[in-house]
DNA sequence: TATTAGATAATAACTATTGTCATTCATGAA
DNA sequence: TTCATGAATGACAATAGTTATTATCTAATA
């Protein structure tokens, strides 16, 4: 066991997670990687510190971090392809609990505006807003664990 | 062969797709299903008309429809889990061509606002904006097929 | 020391998706 | 209408991503 900064231990303690070496290496891998790494990316990075680490351990700990709120998912709907036949511009109401998706007509939102210029020649085609929250159904089903 | 409305044949012709029976049934399945159906949903629905239809055919035609713009994907990043360690509120610049994701600080956007009340007790947690477009790199790499 | 809860590694299992290929079909030309 | 030809289909193999299972290990506690 090496570094094990007190910060990480505190972070784990705060979230009721045991501060294991693997967990720390995985967490540091996430933090050190640019952009939004995939489990595979994280695995490759973590292997540099712990060559014997298992991909399943990476998955399991990512899930633990997500469940506890240390990390969040870039997109809630990555499990399966969903098609959208609605050609009218619209946004989505997404339930973070059951992952259901409802349409929200574009007219129901004030058009998004930027304060600054967008970076380096990015050419905007359209803007898609996900309103994340808890749908009425899920809300009525009692509160669950965080 | 049954219905085969001229509309669908015209639609296909306009998009350079052969107007096959399966294709029509798949398209109608998408249109008739509520929300944002998955390939499996569409498959189940289509089987009611063509019990022998293959799941691969459903996938291939969904892809064809997406490529030709008859349908669109609910989310561009559904392939694999991506984690986000950025706890500062932010949005995303998503390239529809290479699917790269860049962060956009929340402060760079005017906070989204609703014009109307949200439906039936939906409790908003956060709002995630995807700015879809073409990144500078892709833009410089010539125009591709639609 | 014995017990126990939680974590890991190996691997099996599962789900979503795509590729291969022989057969069949849609389309436009004759 | 017939025909040639490329596109589409269906069966199935293959792959990627992810989760489940389980035996083992470890650290903390009784």
């Amino acid at each position: 066991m090496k570094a094990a900064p007190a910060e990480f231990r505190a972070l784990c303690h705060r979230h009721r997670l045991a501060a294991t070496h693997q967990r720390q290496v995985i967490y540091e891998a996430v933090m050190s990687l640019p952009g939004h790494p995939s489990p595979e990316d994280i695995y490759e990075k973590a292997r540099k510190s712990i060559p014997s680490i298992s991909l399943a351990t990476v998955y399991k700990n990512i899930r633990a971090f997500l469940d506890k709120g240390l990390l969040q998912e870039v997109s809630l709907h990555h499990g399966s392809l969903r098609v959208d036949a609605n050609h009218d511009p619209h946004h989505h109401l997404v339930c973070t609990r059951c992952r259901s998706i409802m349409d929200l007509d574009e007219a129901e939102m004030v058009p998004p505006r930027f304060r600054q210029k967008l970076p380096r020649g990015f050419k905007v085609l359209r803007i898609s807003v996900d309103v994340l929250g808890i749908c009425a159904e899920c809300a009525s089903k009692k509160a669950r664990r965080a």
Side-chain angles (χ1 to χ4, degrees), chain A:
Chain A
M1 207 141 304
K2 45 180 65 171
E7 294 169 40
F8 182 72
R9 322 199 101 244
L11 189 64
C12 282
H13 188 256
R14 224 178 308 135
H15 292 279
R16 321 279 153 96
L17 285 173
T20 68
H21 183 211
Q22 287 76 346
R23 207 161 261 168
Q24 183 177 352
V25 166
I26 290 166
Y27 187 77
E28 282 168 1
V30 172
M31 290 310 183
S32 71
L33 288 166
H36 300 92
S38 67
E40 199 70 32
D41 296 333
I42 297 164
Y43 176 54
E44 287 309 325
K45 178 80 178 186
R47 288 176 75 173
K48 296 193 175 146
S49 299
I50 311 178
S52 68
I53 200 169
S54 151
L55 179 58
T57 297
V58 172
Y59 268 101
K60 200 172 293 177
N61 282 303
I62 290 172
R63 177 131 320 280
F65 290 149
L66 291 174
D67 289 347
K68 300 295 184 173
L70 277 81
L71 298 176
Q72 56 187 11
E73 296 182 56
V74 169
S75 166
L76 284 181
H77 13 72
H78 71 272
S80 160
L81 174 65
R82 293 309 177 91
V83 304
D84 199 332
N86 184 353
H87 280 179
D88 301 323
H90 65 285
H91 302 300
H92 291 128
L93 286 180
V94 182
C95 178
T96 59
R97 197 163 288 163
C98 68
R99 309 207 163 194
S100 66
I101 305 167
M102 281 177 287
D103 284 358
L104 185 68
D105 195 90
E106 191 183 52
E108 293 186 49
M109 289 203 84
V110 178
R113 287 272 165 268
F114 303 105
R115 289 196 212 273
Q116 277 106 37
K117 259 276 190 272
L118 288 181
R120 321 124 263 196
F122 189 93
K123 194 176 141 206
V124 177
L125 293 175
R126 68 190 167 93
I127 293 183
S128 165
V129 177
D130 274 4
V131 180
L132 308 177
I134 309 292
C135 71
E137 266 193 70
C138 284
S140 67
K141 280 182 198 160
K142 268 288 192 51
R144 293 287 159 104
R145 62 209 72 278

